[in-house]
Amino acid sequence: MPTGILDLPYDQVAFKASHNSYDRGMTYAAQLTHHPADPTDAGCRGLELDLIQKRGDWKWSVSHPTLGNTISRTAYDSAPEHQLSTHLEELGAWSRDRPTHHPVLVQLDLKWRLNFGDFPEYAEKLDSYLAAHLDNGRADTVYTPGEFLRGESTLGRAAGKHGWPLVRDLRGRFVLVLSGTASRKYRYIQSHTARRLCFADKGYRRGQHRTTIRGNQIFLNVQSDSDKVWPKEAPGWRAQGGIIIRTWDISSRKGWDFCRRKGANVLSTDHVSGKPWAKVGSQPLALRGDL
């Protein structure tokens, strides 16, 4: 890894991520392992887990519900292998064995109508659960919004004034980002922002005409690999500084190259291995493209 990449701010780099990581037929360790002889073979620096809460309890399982399950709210799976705690413990063990690993972004997708509870209790319970299982509550496992704020009133202000830490200063750590249900993730990050364990993204989907980024949402989650549906506001957000853009649903070389050119930081795909285009370069991290 060239020294120069490690000395870039985190929002200046691009990397491959796996979409629905639990469903890729590979362990997380395999998805995160870089193969210098074939950089298209995994080498991810981002993962995604879909979260479904047990109704009336502070437990979560990891899966992608069908439409019927979403409506009936019966998608929670109590099997040990599907518990969020199991997935977090796997990631924690991987991290402990590699204390200087590149930062790993973990997207936590709160499935619609499948997460419950009032605020601020929901935020406190979710954070406690994540911290307990990711690495037995070790304080420095996760880079938090509180660290990012550096005394500013919002994450947006901190992003514009201070920017992101260098990649080298985030080694050995996870960056957790809540995705999915818009109102829930927004209320989460607004609830005592400095105490939160996770950041929260702002979603942008195909067919959406425009979107805005609020003060404490500095991640943009874009379902797009075409100029026809790319957010026209993106250059302005980037000019403000500190915004990280994740793209998902990339399934072709054309889409991958488009997202690279547009300056996406996180390129999320089902095709983490076996596709010659699924890489950002010879190394897992690369300079992001231009918008």
Side-chain angles (χ1 to χ4, degrees), residues 180-220:
T181 307
S183 60
R184 187 154 291 269
K185 65 189 177 186
Y186 178 71
R187 291 179 69 190
Y188 168 93
I189 199 60
Q190 291 295 108
S191 178
H192 305 290
T193 305
R195 299 209 314 243
R196 298 283 62 87
L197 199 65
C198 309
F199 294 86
D201 71 23
K202 176 70 176 179
Y204 184 93
R205 300 178 68 91
R206 292 189 180 120
Q208 189 171 333
H209 296 295
R210 63 181 293 112
T211 191
T212 57
I213 289 184
R214 307 187 198 187
N216 279 315
Q217 290 173 292
I218 57 174
F219 286 80
L220 181 66

Coordinates of all heavy atoms in Angstrom, one line a residue, residues 180-220:
G180 N -31.2 2.6 5.8 CA -32.6 2.1 5.8 C -33.6 3.1 6.2 O -33.6 4.3 5.7
T181 N -34.5 2.8 7.1 CA -35.7 3.6 7.5 C -35.3 5.0 7.8 O -34.6 5.3 8.8 CB -36.4 3.0 8.7 OG1 -36.7 1.6 8.4 CG2 -37.7 3.8 8.9
A182 N -35.8 6.0 7.0 CA -35.3 7.4 7.0 C -35.6 8.0 8.4 O -34.7 8.7 9.0 CB -35.9 8.2 5.9
S183 N -36.8 7.9 8.9 CA -37.1 8.6 10.1 C -36.4 8.1 11.3 O -36.0 8.8 12.2 CB -38.7 8.6 10.4 OG -39.1 7.2 10.5
R184 N -36.2 6.8 11.3 CA -35.5 6.2 12.5 C -34.0 6.5 12.6 O -33.5 6.9 13.6 CB -35.7 4.6 12.5 CG -35.2 3.9 13.7 CD -35.9 2.6 13.9 NE -37.3 2.8 14.3 CZ -37.7 2.9 15.6 NH1 -36.9 2.9 16.6 NH2 -39.0 3.2 15.9
K185 N -33.4 6.4 11.4 CA -31.9 6.8 11.5 C -31.7 8.3 11.7 O -30.7 8.7 12.4 CB -31.2 6.3 10.2 CG -31.7 7.0 8.9 CD -31.1 6.4 7.7 CE -31.6 7.1 6.4 NZ -31.2 6.4 5.2
Y186 N -32.6 9.1 11.2 CA -32.5 10.5 11.5 C -32.7 10.8 13.0 O -32.0 11.6 13.6 CB -33.5 11.3 10.6 CG -33.5 12.8 10.9 CD1 -32.4 13.6 10.5 CD2 -34.5 13.4 11.6 CE1 -32.3 14.9 10.7 CE2 -34.5 14.8 11.8 CZ -33.4 15.5 11.4 OH -33.3 16.9 11.6
R187 N -33.7 10.2 13.6 CA -34.0 10.5 15.0 C -32.8 9.9 15.8 O -32.5 10.5 16.9 CB -35.3 9.8 15.4 CG -36.5 10.5 14.8 CD -37.8 9.8 15.2 NE -38.1 10.0 16.6 CZ -39.0 9.4 17.3 NH1 -39.8 8.5 16.7 NH2 -39.2 9.6 18.6
Y188 N -32.3 8.8 15.4 CA -31.1 8.2 16.1 C -30.0 9.2 16.1 O -29.4 9.5 17.2 CB -30.7 7.0 15.4 CG -29.3 6.4 15.8 CD1 -29.2 5.5 16.9 CD2 -28.1 6.9 15.3 CE1 -28.0 5.0 17.3 CE2 -26.9 6.4 15.7 CZ -26.9 5.5 16.7 OH -25.6 5.0 17.2
I189 N -29.5 9.8 15.0 CA -28.4 10.6 15.0 C -28.6 12.0 15.6 O -27.7 12.7 16.1 CB -27.8 10.8 13.6 CG1 -26.3 11.3 13.6 CG2 -28.7 11.7 12.7 CD1 -25.4 10.3 14.3
Q190 N -29.9 12.4 15.7 CA -30.2 13.6 16.4 C -30.4 13.5 17.9 O -30.4 14.5 18.6 CB -31.6 14.2 15.8 CG -31.5 14.6 14.4 CD -30.7 15.8 14.2 OE1 -29.6 15.7 13.6 NE2 -31.1 17.0 14.7
S191 N -30.4 12.2 18.3 CA -30.6 12.0 19.8 C -29.2 11.9 20.5 O -28.5 10.9 20.4 CB -31.3 10.6 19.9 OG -31.5 10.3 21.3
H192 N -28.8 13.1 21.0 CA -27.5 13.1 21.7 C -26.4 12.7 20.8 O -25.7 11.7 21.1 CB -27.5 12.3 23.0 CG -28.7 12.7 24.0 ND1 -28.7 13.9 24.6 CD2 -29.8 12.0 24.3 CE1 -29.8 13.9 25.4 NE2 -30.5 12.8 25.2
T193 N -26.2 13.4 19.7 CA -25.3 13.0 18.7 C -23.9 12.6 19.2 O -23.3 11.6 18.8 CB -25.1 14.2 17.6 OG1 -26.4 14.5 17.1 CG2 -24.2 13.7 16.5
A194 N -23.4 13.4 20.1 CA -22.0 13.1 20.7 C -21.9 11.8 21.4 O -20.8 11.3 21.6 CB -21.6 14.3 21.6
R195 N -23.0 11.2 21.8 CA -23.0 9.9 22.5 C -23.2 8.7 21.6 O -23.1 7.6 22.1 CB -24.1 9.9 23.6 CG -24.0 11.0 24.7 CD -24.5 10.6 26.0 NE -25.8 9.9 25.9 CZ -26.9 10.4 26.5 NH1 -26.9 11.6 27.1 NH2 -28.1 9.8 26.5
R196 N -23.5 9.0 20.3 CA -23.9 7.9 19.5 C -22.7 7.1 19.0 O -21.6 7.6 18.9 CB -24.6 8.4 18.2 CG -26.0 9.1 18.6 CD -27.1 8.1 18.9 NE -26.9 7.3 20.1 CZ -27.2 7.6 21.3 NH1 -27.7 8.8 21.6 NH2 -27.0 6.8 22.3
L197 N -22.9 5.8 18.7 CA -21.9 4.9 18.2 C -21.8 4.9 16.7 O -20.8 4.6 16.1 CB -22.1 3.5 18.7 CG -21.0 2.5 18.7 CD1 -19.9 3.0 19.7 CD2 -21.5 1.1 19.1
C198 N -22.9 5.2 16.1 CA -23.0 5.1 14.6 C -23.3 6.5 14.0 O -23.9 7.4 14.6 CB -24.2 4.2 14.2 SG -24.3 2.6 14.9
F199 N -22.8 6.6 12.8 CA -23.3 7.7 11.9 C -24.6 7.3 11.3 O -25.1 6.2 11.5 CB -22.2 8.0 10.8 CG -20.9 8.6 11.4 CD1 -19.9 7.7 11.8 CD2 -20.7 9.9 11.5 CE1 -18.7 8.2 12.4 CE2 -19.5 10.4 12.0 CZ -18.5 9.5 12.4
A200 N -25.2 8.2 10.5 CA -26.4 7.9 9.8 C -26.4 8.5 8.4 O -25.9 9.6 8.2 CB -27.7 8.5 10.5
D201 N -26.9 7.7 7.4 CA -26.8 8.2 6.0 C -28.1 8.9 5.6 O -29.1 8.9 6.3 CB -26.4 7.1 5.1 CG -27.5 6.1 4.8 OD1 -28.7 6.4 5.1 OD2 -27.1 4.9 4.4
K202 N -28.0 9.5 4.4 CA -29.2 10.1 3.8 C -29.4 9.3 2.5 O -28.4 9.2 1.7 CB -29.0 11.6 3.5 CG -30.1 12.2 2.7 CD -31.4 12.3 3.5 CE -32.5 13.1 2.7 NZ -33.7 13.2 3.5
G203 N -30.5 8.7 2.2 CA -30.8 7.9 1.1 C -31.2 8.6 -0.2 O -31.8 9.7 -0.1
Y204 N -30.8 8.1 -1.3 CA -31.1 8.6 -2.6 C -31.4 7.4 -3.6 O -30.5 6.7 -3.8 CB -30.1 9.5 -3.2 CG -30.4 10.2 -4.5 CD1 -31.0 11.5 -4.5 CD2 -30.2 9.6 -5.7 CE1 -31.4 12.1 -5.7 CE2 -30.6 10.2 -6.9 CZ -31.1 11.5 -6.9 OH -31.5 12.1 -8.1
R205 N -32.6 7.3 -4.0 CA -33.0 6.1 -4.9 C -33.3 6.5 -6.3 O -33.7 7.7 -6.5 CB -34.2 5.4 -4.2 CG -33.9 4.9 -2.8 CD -35.1 4.2 -2.3 NE -35.4 3.0 -3.0 CZ -35.0 1.8 -2.6 NH1 -34.2 1.6 -1.6 NH2 -35.3 0.7 -3.3
R206 N -33.3 5.5 -7.2 CA -33.8 5.8 -8.5 C -35.2 6.3 -8.5 O -36.0 5.9 -7.8 CB -33.7 4.5 -9.3 CG -32.3 4.0 -9.6 CD -32.3 2.8 -10.5 NE -30.9 2.3 -10.7 CZ -30.5 1.1 -10.5 NH1 -31.3 0.2 -10.0 NH2 -29.2 0.8 -10.7
G207 N -35.4 7.3 -9.4 CA -36.8 7.9 -9.4 C -36.9 9.1 -8.5 O -38.0 9.8 -8.6
Q208 N -36.0 9.3 -7.7 CA -36.1 10.4 -6.7 C -35.5 11.7 -7.4 O -34.4 11.6 -8.1 CB -35.2 10.1 -5.5 CG -35.4 11.1 -4.3 CD -34.8 10.6 -3.1 OE1 -34.6 9.4 -2.9 NE2 -34.3 11.5 -2.2
H209 N -36.2 12.8 -7.4 CA -35.8 14.0 -8.1 C -34.7 14.8 -7.4 O -33.8 15.3 -8.1 CB -37.0 14.9 -8.4 CG -38.1 14.3 -9.2 ND1 -37.9 13.9 -10.5 CD2 -39.3 13.9 -8.9 CE1 -39.0 13.4 -11.0 NE2 -39.9 13.3 -10.1
R210 N -34.7 14.8 -6.1 CA -33.7 15.6 -5.4 C -33.7 15.1 -4.0 O -34.6 14.5 -3.5 CB -33.9 17.1 -5.5 CG -35.2 17.6 -4.9 CD -35.4 19.1 -5.0 NE -34.4 19.8 -4.2 CZ -33.4 20.5 -4.8 NH1 -33.3 20.6 -6.1 NH2 -32.5 21.2 -4.1
T211 N -32.6 15.5 -3.3 CA -32.5 15.2 -1.9 C -31.7 16.3 -1.2 O -31.0 17.1 -1.9 CB -31.9 13.8 -1.6 OG1 -32.1 13.4 -0.2 CG2 -30.4 13.8 -2.0
T212 N -31.8 16.3 0.1 CA -31.0 17.3 0.8 C -30.3 16.6 2.0 O -30.7 15.5 2.4 CB -31.9 18.4 1.5 OG1 -32.9 17.8 2.3 CG2 -32.6 19.2 0.4
I213 N -29.1 17.1 2.3 CA -28.3 16.5 3.4 C -28.5 17.4 4.6 O -28.3 18.6 4.6 CB -26.8 16.4 3.1 CG1 -26.7 15.3 2.0 CG2 -26.0 16.1 4.3 CD1 -25.2 15.0 1.7
R214 N -29.0 16.8 5.7 CA -29.2 17.6 7.0 C -27.9 17.6 7.8 O -27.0 16.9 7.5 CB -30.3 16.9 7.8 CG -31.6 16.7 7.0 CD -32.7 16.2 7.9 NE -33.8 15.6 7.1 CZ -35.0 15.2 7.6 NH1 -35.2 15.4 8.9 NH2 -35.9 14.7 6.9
G215 N -28.0 18.5 8.8 CA -26.7 18.8 9.5 C -26.0 17.7 10.1 O -24.7 17.7 10.2
N216 N -26.6 16.6 10.5 CA -25.9 15.5 11.2 C -25.8 14.2 10.3 O -25.4 13.2 10.7 CB -26.5 15.1 12.5 CG -26.1 16.1 13.6 OD1 -24.9 16.4 13.7 ND2 -27.0 16.5 14.4
Q217 N -26.2 14.3 9.0 CA -26.1 13.2 8.1 C -25.0 13.6 7.0 O -25.3 14.3 6.1 CB -27.5 12.9 7.4 CG -28.5 12.3 8.4 CD -29.8 12.2 7.9 OE1 -30.5 13.2 7.6 NE2 -30.3 10.9 7.7
I218 N -23.9 13.0 7.2 CA -22.8 13.3 6.3 C -22.4 12.1 5.4 O -21.3 12.2 4.7 CB -21.5 13.8 7.1 CG1 -21.1 12.7 8.1 CG2 -21.8 15.1 7.8 CD1 -19.8 13.1 8.8
F219 N -23.2 11.1 5.4 CA -23.1 10.0 4.4 C -24.3 10.0 3.5 O -25.4 10.2 3.9 CB -23.1 8.7 5.2 CG -21.8 8.4 5.9 CD1 -21.5 8.9 7.2 CD2 -20.8 7.5 5.3 CE1 -20.4 8.7 7.8 CE2 -19.6 7.3 6.0 CZ -19.4 7.8 7.3
L220 N -24.0 9.9 2.2 CA -25.1 9.8 1.2 C -25.1 8.4 0.6 O -24.0 7.9 0.2 CB -24.8 10.8 0.1 CG -25.9 10.9 -1.0 CD1 -27.2 11.4 -0.5 CD2 -25.4 11.8 -2.1

